[in-house]
Amino acid sequence: MVRNVAGLLPELEDEDFYLLSGVEQGMRFSEWVQREKLPKFADLPDEEVEYRLERCLKRGLVERKTIQYEGYTLQFEGYDTLALRALVEQDTISEFGSPLGVGKESDVYEVRSYKPLALKYHREGYTNFREVHKERDYTSDNDHVSWMYTARKAAEREYDILEELYPDVAVPQPIGQNRHAIVMEKMDGVELSRTRLEDEQVLGVLGLLVTEMSRAYANGYVHADMSEYNVFVDEGGVTIFDWPQAVPTDHENAGEFLRRDLTNIVGYFRRKYPQHVPDDLEPDDLAREIEAGEFDGLEIDA
């Protein structure tokens, strides 16, 4: 797990950030940045680069290799630090809180500005960026990408999609974005997978979910990774999150992804609440209604 770097910000100096930014600059051209190029990239004297490298190495923000040549690369903690400092300087966030969720492709923390918010660091590609590069559309037009590029593009893409969908669709309100980090409203409620609905709530919540999927489609997007793990449920309804892999409705596989999303959601409700989900509720029928703009809610018997 990548560690929380918020506690490092007060002890880092401007020159440390110049050095980190210089390594980031150099990584546009190579995974490892040659030592002799860092004074130019960081705009620091050579002896200052040496001092700052030692400080950043000690704090685990950069990594050094000495095989073939002396080179440096950012650790994810270094990238987190650059994004976090930028968001603080922009007054997007002012306080850092507890972890809200740690996953394979993202870490989420509670932060605060004028109200509680959530900070999401994208981690796509950190452990195996080549595999992610092959699977995700937002990197498929580049032959050579790094984990840093992959994570940043995922964050940019998700932020842009949230901006397009909110508030017409029940998604978290986007607040700010820098590098691989997104700040959004903190969601209330409980993850659907951990929720036990009352009998009379089952079809109502399922109907709300399909309605939001229909609204997303009307606004131009299919989620493409819907499951019980990216839905929050509270007294006010449902919120669908995790949108970096979403595809536009004119994507050649949009229909296939829509049907898969609906199959996942209907299948989850059918497994967990078998006595409440009608046998004739077919994901393919729902998909056709959504594509035709004719979905008008589930028919629920009184």
Side-chain angles (χ1 to χ4, degrees):
M1 186 199 327
V2 180
R3 77 183 193 279
N4 180 1
V5 299
L8 290 178
L9 286 189
E11 61 186 66
L12 293 175
E13 301 168 346
D14 286 345
E15 290 81 4
D16 296 315
F17 288 103
Y18 298 159
L19 185 280
L20 292 173
S21 296
V23 178
E24 179 187 28
Q25 275 282 95
M27 287 178 67
R28 293 186 304 162
F29 311 104
S30 174
E31 182 181 359
W32 293 89
V33 186
Q34 293 183 28
R35 167 64 180 82
E36 58 266 28
K37 295 182 179 180
L38 282 175
K40 177 181 177 182
F41 286 134
D43 195 21
L44 291 170
D46 191 72
E47 60 275 13
E48 187 73 31
V49 166
E50 194 64 29
Y51 175 62
R52 298 300 163 179
L53 279 172
E54 291 306 315
R55 283 174 55 86
C56 291
L57 282 166
K58 180 180 178 182
R59 290 163 174 78
L61 304 180
V62 297
E63 182 180 353
R64 174 169 53 203
K65 79 160 188 174
T66 55
I67 299 174
Q68 295 181 322
Y69 62 90
E70 183 180 353
Y72 293 85
T73 192
L74 280 180
Q75 296 283 66
F76 235 126
E77 287 87 349
Y79 205 39
D80 288 356
T81 301
L82 286 168
L84 184 58
R85 191 204 195 205
L87 291 167
V88 170
E89 289 188 329
Q90 295 162 7
D91 291 326
T92 304
I93 59 178
S94 58
E95 297 178 32
F96 206 96
S98 311
L100 296 174
V102 176
K104 180 181 177 183
E105 295 190 344
S106 66
D107 293 343
V108 184
Y109 294 90
E110 182 176 3
V111 294
R112 180 175 286 275
S113 178
Y114 59 96
K115 64 177 182 178
L117 300 170
L119 169 65
K120 176 179 180 179
Y121 290 121
H122 276 268
R123 304 295 188 205
E124 282 90 342
Y126 184 48
T127 56
N128 190 352
F129 70 81
R130 291 178 181 84
E131 181 178 336
V132 175
H133 165 52
K134 292 177 183 176
E135 294 180 354
R136 296 287 174 90
D137 278 352
Y138 48 76
T139 62
S140 60
D141 58 346
N142 293 275
D143 291 332
H144 303 286
V145 296
S146 68
W147 57 260
M148 199 168 67
Y149 174 87
T150 304
R152 177 175 62 81
K153 292 301 290 184
E156 290 174 351
R157 180 173 175 79
E158 181 169 29
Y159 187 80
D160 289 345
I161 291 171
L162 290 177
E163 281 204 308
E164 290 191 46
L165 295 181
Y166 184 86
D168 295 339
V169 183
V171 301
Q173 180 184 4
I175 305 295
Q177 184 259 324
N178 186 273
R179 293 174 172 86
H180 63 314
I182 298 176
V183 179
M184 64 188 82
E185 72 174 318
K186 182 174 177 259
M187 292 177 290
D188 296 321
V190 181
E191 193 178 87
L192 177 61
S193 64
R194 296 164 47 213
T195 305
R196 183 69 200 185
L197 300 173
E198 301 295 332
D199 292 352
E200 63 274 13
Q201 296 175 315
V202 174
L203 282 182
V205 172
L206 176 56
L208 283 175
L209 266 176
V210 179
T211 296
E212 296 304 329
M213 294 167 70
S214 178
R215 288 174 178 165
Y217 192 91
N219 279 270
Y221 286 97
V222 175
H223 187 282
D225 193 28
M226 278 292 298
S227 77
E228 63 271 25
Y229 300 106
N230 46 38
V231 175
F232 262 59
V233 182
D234 66 11
E235 292 181 356
V238 299
T239 305
I240 302 173
F241 58 98
D242 279 347
W243 289 84
Q245 71 296 311
V247 298
T249 51
D250 60 359
H251 188 283
E252 61 181 350
N253 297 319
E256 176 186 342
F257 289 136
L258 176 62
R259 282 159 177 78
R260 187 178 69 186
D261 282 353
L262 289 163
T263 297
N264 288 345
I265 289 300
V266 173
Y268 168 74
F269 276 84
R270 187 162 275 150
R271 289 190 305 275
K272 192 165 184 176
Y273 310 101
Q275 68 274 32
H276 297 297
V277 180
D279 293 336
D280 61 354
L281 184 62
E282 292 294 337
D284 198 51
D285 293 338
L286 295 173
R288 281 195 291 269
E289 291 181 23
I290 290 173
E291 289 169 330
E294 297 173 352
F295 179 77
D296 193 27
L298 296 183
E299 294 183 11
I300 303 174
D301 295 333

